Structure formats: C-alpha cells, structure tokens
C-alpha cells in the first residue's frame, strides 16, 4: 500500500500533476469545481507591475494554481517596500534584486507547478501588445495612470479583459474591464489628472490593508474570468476605505458612446510611439530615465567605467553607484533609476553624463 502511494507520488512528480488534494478546498467551491481548476491550470495571466498590488495578487494566484504567470516590472526591491509588498524579504532588499526576479523566485517556492516568466522592463507602447497578446487576463499592479491608459488601449484593441486596481493611503479602487461588454478605463477616466494634482504613496503613504483588499478583489475577478463565470463579474467601480469603513460599489458604470478608446477605437497611448523618457516613481523620490530606443547595456563594462566615480555594486540584472550624491541604478535594457530627486532635468543630465544619451 505504502509502495503504491510512493509510486503514485513519483508518477505525479514526473507528470507534473497536482497532489490530489492541493486545491481541494478551492475546487470544492461551487463556481470552480474540477473543470474550473483545470481552466486555472491552463490559464495565462500577465501581471504588469509587481509592487504591493501585483505581489499580493500574484501570491494568491500562484496558490490558486493559475498555471502560467508572466510578470513585468521595472523596479528593484528596497527596504521601504517590505511593509506591504508580500513576495519580498530583507535579502531581496539587501541585494537590490529586481522585483520581477524576486517575485518569480517567491512564486516558484510557493507553487512549483506554476510556470512563471519574469521580465525586468518598463511597459511601453513598443512592447505592451506583445505582452498582452499572450495573456487570457491582464492584472494591473502599476502605480500610475499613464501605464493604465496604455494597458487599456492594448486590451481593448486585442479584446483581452483586464482588472484595474489602485491603492493609496487607506483607500483602494478596482474595476474589471471586459472589452465590448463593459465600460473601459477611459470611459471612466477620459483624461489623465494634471501632473502634481494626484496624491502619491510618497505624500499620502499606503497601508498594507488597503492593498491586500484590492488585491483580493483583483484575484477574485481574475479567477472568475479564467473559470468562465462572467455572470458574476463585478460590473462597475469598487471603492473602499479600510480606515473610515466606507465601501462603495458603483453598479452599472456605462460605456461612453464617445470614448476615444472603446467607441472610436483610437488608441492614442498605444500610438504614442515616442514615450516620455522620464517618469517619476510613485512613493520613491526617484526618477526613471529611459533611452529613446531600448538597447542592451554591457553592465560589466559600465560598472568598470563608473568605478572611477566611487563604489559600484552590481548583480546579474543591474549596476548601482553613487553619482553626485544620487544613487543611480542602471538596468541591462538601458533604463536608470535615479534616487534623491524629483527633478526630471537633474535626472536626465545625470543619465547623460554617466550612462550616455
Ligand atoms: Zn471606453
């Protein structure tokens, strides 16, 4: 008997099949079942941005047995992330590991059956469609509206559903966008807020509780989409405040008949092929500078060059040094994150001086 069990286990290990009871509490749930669990295993999700929301949602999705997870994130782990970014630990912060890589390692430890593909990259008009086209569902883990408009354009164009989520302070919001069925992100937010008028994690802080609640809603929406239970999708905008106990669900958010994106099919963010070359990073007192065209940087050579300016730290994915009092981190795709400034021109000129144009 014991031998038969051992053989069965070996068989499962070689075929990659799940332990029979790994997902039993989930597949026993009426809307999932064995068939739903199989759909989750076959499911492909794209997580754009792997900060607080992305890592909390991904943690749960990996545990749920979603079979294929692609992660795209442009940043690296820091100590101030650990209060709310559930996939990372002190070792990741000390090593400055890119979040996509650290998240992929964590997901592999949580569920070795999940195929996880990490990309250390910025999502731009040039690459967003390639990423989105391979996904069944896209999960928003970003911290900025510019990228959300881009995700919205790509998803509406390619007819792929996506789940918007955002959290700041004690508040959070979420909305599920199913192209041709629901309002799109731009129906609700036609134009970006003027720069500097929005609260950021830097000014308002962000609580782990609001993040985890929004991530939980995003998880449920992704799972409903993957198992095919569209009837129970959240239709409209959900807003919550974990501190003041306000929970709002705006049912029936209507499509804007003049929406440039989903009605007129003008994909203005996707078509803006020249992206802004600089972006301030939410909650970071830091600026990202991107090269006009992505190109591979020889990190070893750059590291040697920068040693003239001071101590250089590096890992397989980035080089970091101190230039003129600012910590500068350069990635292999040519992007740099420059800390200690919110001045775009300061960041651009440091980049030009030490990395090149
Ligand atoms: Zn729309």
């Amino acid at each position: 008997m014991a031998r038969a069990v051992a053989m069965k286990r070996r068989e499962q290990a070689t075929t990659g099949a799940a332990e029979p009871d790994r997902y039993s509490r989930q597949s026993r749930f009426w809307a999932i079942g064995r068939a739903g669990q199989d759909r989750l295993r076959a499911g492909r999700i794209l997580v754009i941005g792997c900060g607080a929301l992305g890592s909390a949602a991904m943690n749960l999705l990996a545990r749920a047995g979603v079979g294929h997870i692609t992660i795209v994130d442009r940043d690296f782990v820091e100590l101030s992330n650990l209060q709310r970014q559930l996939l990372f630990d002190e070792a990741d912060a000390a090593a400055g590991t890119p979040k996509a890589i650290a998240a992929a390692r964590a997901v592999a430890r949580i569920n070795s059956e999940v195929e996880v593909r990490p990309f250390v990259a910025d999502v731009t008009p040039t690459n967003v469609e390639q990423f989105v086209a391979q996904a069944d569902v896209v999960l928003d883990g970003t911290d900025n509206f510019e990228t959300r408009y881009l995700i919205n354009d790509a998803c509406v164009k390619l007819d792929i559903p996506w789940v918007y989520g955002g959290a700041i302070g004690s508040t959070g919001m979420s909305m599920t966008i199913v192209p041709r069925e629901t309002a799109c992100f731009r129906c609700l937010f036609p134009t970006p807020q003027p720069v500097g008028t929005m609260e950021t994690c830097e000014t308002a802080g962000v609580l782990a509780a609001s993040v985890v609640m929004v991530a939980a809603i995003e998880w449920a929406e992704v799972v409903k989409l993957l198992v095919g239970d569209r009837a129970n999708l959240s239709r409209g905008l959900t807003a919550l405040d974990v501190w003041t106990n306000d929970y709002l669900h705006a049912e029936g958010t209507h499509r804007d008949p003049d929406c440039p994106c989903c009605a007129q099919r003008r994909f203005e963010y996707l078509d803006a092929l020249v992206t802004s070359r600089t972006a301030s990073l939410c909650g970071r007192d830091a600026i990202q500078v991107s090269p006009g065209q992505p190109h591979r940087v020889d990190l070893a050579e750059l590291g040697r060059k920068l040693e003239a300016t001071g101590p250089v730290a590096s890992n397989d994915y980035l080089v970091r040094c101190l230039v003129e009092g600012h910590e500068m981190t350069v990635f292999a795709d040519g992007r740099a994150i420059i800390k200690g400034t919110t001045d775009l021109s300061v960041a651009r000129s440091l980049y030009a001086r030490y990395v090149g144009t």
Side-chain angles (χ1 to χ4, degrees):
M1 180 67 185
R3 204 165 148 215
V5 169
M7 275 177 65
K8 182 77 187 151
R9 289 225 168 105
R10 269 203 300 280
E11 199 179 297
Q12 281 159 359
T14 48
T15 59
E19 288 286 330
D21 61 351
R22 176 164 191 150
Y23 305 110
S24 64
R25 303 306 187 275
Q26 183 172 276
S27 56
R28 216 165 277 169
F29 178 66
W30 64 269
I32 296 181
R34 291 294 292 271
Q37 194 60 49
D38 288 344
R39 288 198 191 107
L40 292 179
R41 185 176 299 124
R44 297 178 177 276
I45 61 158
L46 169 64
V47 179
I48 299 184
C50 184
L53 282 172
S55 61
M58 212 181 325
N59 187 329
L60 299 176
L61 288 164
R63 287 175 198 280
V66 171
H68 309 272
I69 302 179
T70 299
I71 313 168
V72 193
D73 190 279
R74 62 187 182 185
D75 208 354
F76 52 86
V77 181
E78 289 191 306
L79 204 55
S80 66
N81 301 150
L82 303 187
Q83 156 257 355
R84 65 194 182 285
Q85 302 192 8
L86 304 184
L87 288 180
F88 312 134
D89 59 28
E90 291 179 357
D92 296 319
T97 310
K99 289 182 181 178
I101 302 295
R105 289 177 186 156
V107 164
R109 285 194 297 272
I110 290 166
N111 190 343
S112 59
E113 293 168 1
V114 176
E115 180 211 29
V116 51
R117 298 192 307 150
F119 292 89
V120 183
D122 204 6
V123 170
T124 65
T126 321
N127 64 16
V128 66
E129 286 184 73
Q130 290 162 11
F131 284 123
V132 168
Q134 297 174 33
D136 298 319
V137 185
V138 179
L139 185 138
D140 170 26
T142 65
D143 58 6
N144 66 88
F145 268 54
E146 192 181 343
T147 312
R148 290 183 183 121
Y149 283 121
L150 197 54
I151 296 170
N152 190 60
D153 269 9
C155 286
V156 170
K157 182 176 174 186
L158 299 173
D159 205 10
I160 309 266
W162 73 283
V163 184
Y164 154 64
I168 190 127
S170 59
T171 68
M173 270 204 261
S174 177
M175 186 169 94
T176 303
I177 291 120
V178 181
R180 294 184 293 127
E181 280 184 36
T182 68
C184 83
F185 189 70
R186 224 170 153 196
C187 290
L188 232 69
F189 305 104
T191 50
Q193 298 288 314
V195 174
T197 59
M198 299 261 295
E199 288 272 37
T200 67
C201 307
E202 184 93 320
T203 55
V206 58
L207 300 182
S210 37
V211 166
V212 170
M213 286 199 68
V214 173
I217 294 169
E218 289 189 285
W219 177 93
E221 292 296 291
V222 168
V223 169
K224 288 178 215 172
L225 283 162
L226 289 179
V227 303
D229 186 5
R230 294 199 171 194
N232 280 299
L233 284 174
S234 169
R235 306 273 168 176
L237 186 75
T238 301
L240 57 91
D241 188 323
V242 296
W243 211 257
T244 61
N245 315 306
D246 293 313
Y247 299 93
L248 171 83
H249 182 71
E251 273 290 349
T253 312
H254 294 297
R255 289 182 68 177
D256 174 358
D258 297 321
C259 174
C261 179
C262 71
Q264 300 175 23
R265 298 189 73 79
R266 285 191 286 117
F267 304 114
E268 294 170 345
Y269 290 85
L270 215 46
D271 293 340
L273 289 172
V274 182
T275 46
S276 62
R277 294 191 53 215
T278 51
S280 64
L281 301 183
C282 181
R284 290 286 310 277
D285 186 28
I287 304 280
Q288 172 184 262
V289 182
S290 306
Q293 289 294 323
H295 61 268
R296 304 307 293 177
V297 169
D298 184 334
L299 291 175
E301 190 189 320
L302 179 67
R304 279 193 293 277
K305 195 173 90 179
L306 290 170
E307 269 167 7
T309 67
V312 172
S314 63
N315 58 35
D316 290 347
Y317 310 98
L318 54 85
V319 166
R320 177 175 300 150
C321 64
L322 201 64
V323 290
E324 302 178 27
H326 298 281
E327 183 190 281
M328 182 169 77
T329 304
V330 185
F331 295 86
D333 62 1
R335 290 176 307 111
I337 291 177
I338 294 158
K339 275 183 77 174
T341 182
T342 49
D343 187 330
L344 301 181
S345 58
V346 167
R348 266 199 296 267
S349 74
L350 287 170
Y351 183 90
R353 275 207 292 283
Y354 293 95
V355 186
T357 48

